[in-house]
Amino acid sequence: MTLQNDLLLRTARGELTERVPVWMMRQAGRVLPQYRAVREQAGSFITLAKTPELAAEVTIQPVDAFDVDAAIIFSDILVVPEAMGLPYEMIESRGPVFPQTVRSMSELSRLRVADAESDLGYVLDAIKLTKKELNNRVPLIGFAGAPFTIFCYMTEGKGSKTFSVAKKLLYTDPDFAHALLQQITDSTIAYLQAQIRAGADLIQIFDSWAGILSPEQYTTFSLPYIKQICDLIAGPPDRNVPVTVFAKGAFFARQDIGQLSCDVVGLDWNMDPHESRQLIPNRVLQGNLDPCVLYADFAQIRTEVKRMLDGFGHQHYIANLGHGIYPDTDPDKAKCFVDAVKELGAA
Ligand code: CP3
């Protein structure tokens, strides 16, 4: 089965391509009115995510609406803790909440390594169905949170600006922190391997809270676990599924991330393209337009896209935002971003 549009995969594998591929982090389920209609039909985010037919539908919506070069499976990074035995709730306009947290060895002993097929079968079914319905139009991206980012939510129990409860544990009980991080890592490796078997064409690891750590803590508590994932999920050579590591805010770790066995390094808008190329000479780069640029007028969006393309160059580069698209973005502005990359990003 060959993809009609495999631009993203060829670029991710390090090939020279005819233009810069483009997609947007969090492109599914945030800005489209079509999404909100399906979300209402489902009743809740979690029901939607657990209903493969609906998850496939909202995964494909941005491909139709924006003509992006990839789809990303509609799910959430927090399905992994749930599969480990720590269920979450998604509270309207507040975000995810874990009614129970895990902050000690004894609490950890109640959790298990997730079994991908039985505990996360609904995501695997959604991937299989999406692949079928996409009918080889574009590649499908699978994903998971990086162990440290998942650790933040499991210990803190909810979103936070500082994640000081989570960070405190790194200092007060590092043995527990490492034990939980390892259990998340083992769950994530099995889960991503299963996503690849189900048909995911590329895997992205989201370390959304990397930037709250000091360089030393990042080296101790995040990087080694991402390394294990990268080393183990590459899969059989005939599948050759590229891996992207996106560590938001971890400008200090770019050199180290660039030496992992990953193919693509995702960057946020604080990271300068030229400096990033110097620090990460042998990887494809992805990013990094400030999502707030999409609040500007159409002409300004094009100007900023041009500046970004000039900064990265048109090869070994995947255009994206520097973090997820914000929910109140005008879909026409998102389309303008995608169109501008396609128009200005030829080889
Ligand atoms: O990219 C996509 O569009 C695919 C789906 C996707 C979701 N979450 C769906 C979702 C992806 C890739 C994620 C990843 C995710 N989830 C991350 C990493 C990326 C990042 O943005 O840093 C994180 C930290 C989470 C945890 C999470 N889930 C939060 C903090 C929230 C609340 C705020 C928000 O982002 O909307 C969610 C909820 C969530 N995940 C929604 C969606 C569509 C909104 C829930 C709803 O529709 O009610």
Side-chain angles (χ1 to χ4, degrees), residues 23-30 35 39 44-45 48 72-78 90 92 94-96 143 149 153 159 206 208-209 246 248 323-324 327:
W23 67 283
M24 291 173 290
M25 286 191 278
R26 308 297 300 274
Q27 67 189 18
R30 269 196 155 178
Y35 165 73
R39 166 93 165 61
S44 75
F45 168 80
L48 172 48
I72 176 161
I73 189 67
F74 184 83
S75 183
D76 199 86
I77 61 169
L78 301 178
M90 204 57 92
E92 200 69 49
R94 254 191 74 198
F143 69 90
T149 287
Y153 285 100
F206 286 92
S208 304
W209 294 105
F246 171 64
K248 168 105 182 31
H323 197 191

